[in-house]
Amino acid sequence: MDTSVIITTLVLYNIVLIAIGLWAESRTKTQEDFFLGGRKLGPIVGAISYSASAASAWTLLGMSGAAYVLGFSALWIAGGAVLGCIIAWLWVAPKMMTYSRKNNILTLTDFLAHGTDDGWKKASVIFASIVILISFTFYIASQFQGAGNTFALTFGISASSSIMLGGGVILLYTLLGGFWAVSVTDTLQGMLMLLSAVLLPTAAYVELVSQAGSFSAGLESVYDADALTLSGKNIGMAAIGMIVGNLAVGLGAIGQPHLNVRFMAMRDKKALNIARIIGIAWYAIVFFGMCLLGMIGHALMPNIDNPENIFFALTESVFTPIIGAILLATVLSAIMSTADSMLLVAASTLAHDLGLGKYFTGREILISRIAIIGISALSIVVAIYLPASIFSRVLFAWNALGAAFGPLVLVRLAGIKIQQSYAFFAMVTGFSLAVLFYSMDNTPGDILERVAPFTCGIIILMLSKVKK
């Protein structure tokens, strides 16, 4: 692929992102502006920025790579992600928007600790902040690692240099404009991701049919019989465990801090109602599109070294340099749209939740920007010196956050009164079990890692239900 075309496209694209950051800076005057955009998020920006933030590099690279290896059973993972999106938009979003406005809540940590006395509130805030900072450091590192893979494959430069370059651009526009910059740039990035999820699988499908005669014939030529079934190699209880475990991927969406703040920032109920339709449709197209891409990619390129690079390989194979450059920018979009949102939440954790900003009255936004620089630097170090599978690392962070916070989000939004100490212990239990099961051997669909921690958190909270 012509690298000069790619470089020109990426330079222009990044100039646009930085310009958006400069524009957003003029709209950022207060902490509420910096962290929630003044609660004025419209339906298109709200829906697509939510989706782009949720669907990181693991969707374009990891999801397509998983489908490349697993075949049809990977559809359960995509289905679980879409199911989680549906629950989040239809049930969590309206309640979270109302609750956060009524109680002047700026962050998910504020929400988790709301209504508790000083002792348990402090413990909850500190623990939730630690979970966010640890999980986001690894999550952001996986995004920077995806950027490193993209630049390394395209330009032949070192992964470490690529990681620092990609991280620098994300850092710059996030520093400038805060939530508005993140949301508007995420919307642009989300539209590029949607475009790629339609164009690339369609072009690859046409190529497969022209070579193999039909879609099914192409898949049958490379997959064994098990991979062409929805249960894969699993039978009986193992098949049920695989299905439930993969569908449970969606549970994590309920407890994601960088997604819940989008609900808090929505302008009004009308905007929310439109946004939920756009958001769910986007999710379905992108996730199932990447599943299809992975399976077609296996048929077209059965011997690729790293399945997570099938997106790049097909892009170079079926498109002209200009379109290929745009789709490569799409991968960087997926990376940036998640990393920037997480950087902003990490900054709010340090400056607002842990209270560092209160020691610098009138300098709260400055402290938030310093926090963004610190988290970026740490994530770059992790990405360079502790490399891991993008898919594995993202799902760990996603499951850990979902297990720690999701049960409490559900219970509190349902209006169920619980004992204060149990809320804290539910968070500790969910996160600890997620870490424990991640360190153990995999089960079918990783059902222990994805279901057990969340379920235990719910059980603890329901046992503490206060009788009216």
Side-chain angles (χ1 to χ4, degrees):
M1 190 177 290
D2 188 345
T3 56
S4 63
V5 174
I6 296 173
I7 291 172
T8 302
T9 302
L10 292 179
V11 167
L12 291 174
Y13 177 67
N14 286 314
I15 288 173
V16 170
L17 295 183
I18 293 169
I20 291 172
L22 291 169
W23 164 81
E25 186 180 27
S26 65
R27 302 187 57 155
T28 304
K29 307 298 181 184
T30 67
Q31 267 201 318
E32 186 175 60
D33 291 337
F34 194 78
F35 294 136
L36 289 181
R39 301 185 195 268
K40 297 176 182 178
L41 213 57
I44 295 176
V45 174
I48 299 182
S49 66
Y50 170 98
S51 300
S53 297
S56 58
W58 87 269
T59 307
L60 298 186
L61 306 184
M63 187 72 251
S64 57
Y68 183 102
V69 174
L70 298 173
F72 276 86
S73 63
L75 290 169
W76 293 112
I77 303 175
V82 175
L83 180 62
C85 177
I86 292 171
I87 294 171
W89 275 109
L90 295 186
W91 194 82
V92 175
K95 295 179 180 294
M96 184 64 76
M97 184 179 76
T98 301
Y99 193 107
S100 65
R101 287 172 182 267
K102 180 181 178 181
N103 298 289
N104 193 32
I105 286 172
L106 294 181
T107 68
L108 185 64
T109 302
D110 275 347
F111 171 82
L112 296 171
H114 185 257
T116 56
D117 58 34
D118 289 342
W120 287 113
K121 182 174 184 178
K122 184 176 181 180
S124 297
V125 167
I126 291 174
F127 183 76
S129 298
I130 291 172
V131 170
I132 289 171
L133 293 174
I134 291 174
S135 299
F136 275 9
T137 296
F138 283 94
Y139 210 138
I140 294 166
S142 73
Q143 306 311 301
F144 290 168
Q145 189 176 329
N149 291 348
T150 304
F151 282 111
L153 284 170
T154 306
F155 306 117
I157 61 177
S158 69
S160 57
S161 299
S162 302
I163 288 168
M164 288 187 283
L165 178 61
V169 173
I170 297 167
L171 175 63
L172 181 56
Y173 71 75
T174 306
L175 282 174
L176 288 170
F179 189 85
W180 270 115
V182 166
S183 295
V184 176
T185 53
D186 283 0
T187 301
L188 173 61
Q189 292 155 0
M191 289 178 174
L192 281 175
M193 292 167 70
L194 183 65
L195 180 67
S196 72
V198 174
L199 284 182
L200 189 50
T202 300
Y205 178 87
V206 171
E207 180 69 16
L208 177 61
V209 171
S210 69
Q211 290 186 18
S214 69
F215 175 69
S216 58
L219 297 189
E220 289 169 359
S221 68
V222 291
Y223 283 115
D224 59 30
D226 289 334
L228 296 177
T229 67
L230 288 173
S231 58
K233 297 181 182 297
N234 304 286
I235 58 174
M237 293 303 297
I240 294 173
M242 181 275 295
I243 293 170
V244 172
N246 285 337
L247 286 177
V249 166
L251 288 175
I254 299 168
Q256 301 301 313
H258 61 301
L259 303 185
N260 276 287
V261 293
R262 292 306 200 289
F263 301 148
M264 297 178 190
M266 292 302 298
R267 186 173 61 214
D268 51 38
K269 289 184 178 179
K270 181 179 179 181
L272 180 66
N273 289 335
I274 298 171
R276 59 176 34 145
I277 297 171
I278 299 171
I280 293 169
W282 188 102
Y283 241 67
I285 293 170
V286 171
F287 273 88
F288 286 113
M290 287 303 103
C291 265
L292 181 62
L293 181 71
M295 289 186 281
I296 294 174
H298 194 153
L300 291 174
M301 300 179 175
N303 299 312
I304 193 170
D305 292 334
N306 182 358
E308 288 188 343
N309 289 335
I310 189 61
F311 185 100
F312 304 124
L314 286 176
T315 296
E316 186 171 359
S317 172
V318 303
F319 284 123
T320 62
I322 293 178
I323 296 184
I326 293 173
L327 293 188
L328 281 174
T330 299
V331 176
L332 293 178
S333 298
I335 294 163
M336 292 175 175
S337 61
T338 300
D340 57 17
S341 297
M342 290 185 170
L343 284 172
L344 196 62
V345 170
S348 70
T349 298
L350 290 170
H352 176 75
D353 298 330
L354 292 178
L356 296 183
K358 70 182 180 182
Y359 298 109
F360 301 88
T361 304
R363 300 274 184 171
E364 291 87 353
I365 294 178
L366 174 61
I367 298 305
S368 299
R369 287 171 169 154
I370 293 173
I372 289 172
I373 294 172
I375 294 295
S376 294
L378 181 59
S379 297
I380 286 172
V381 170
V382 171
I384 293 173
Y385 294 106
L386 296 172
S389 161
I390 295 171
F391 190 75
S392 173
R393 179 171 277 166
V394 166
L395 281 186
F396 160 69
W398 179 271
N399 290 333
L401 289 164
F405 304 146
L408 187 53
V409 169
L410 285 179
V411 169
R412 185 155 287 163
L413 290 180
I416 298 172
K417 300 293 183 181
I418 55 174
Q419 297 177 41
Q420 296 176 8
S421 59
Y422 281 70
F424 173 77
F425 290 120
M427 286 194 291
V428 173
T429 299
F431 180 72
S432 299
L433 288 179
V435 173
L436 173 64
F437 291 135
Y438 177 75
S439 66
M440 295 168 60
D441 292 337
N442 289 342
T443 51
D446 279 345
I447 187 170
L448 278 181
E449 185 181 343
R450 297 173 190 170
V451 177
F454 193 98
T455 302
C456 288
I458 289 287
I459 292 172
I460 290 172
L461 293 173
M462 295 311 294
L463 288 174
S464 74
K465 183 178 178 181
V466 176
K467 295 182 180 180
K468 295 182 180 179

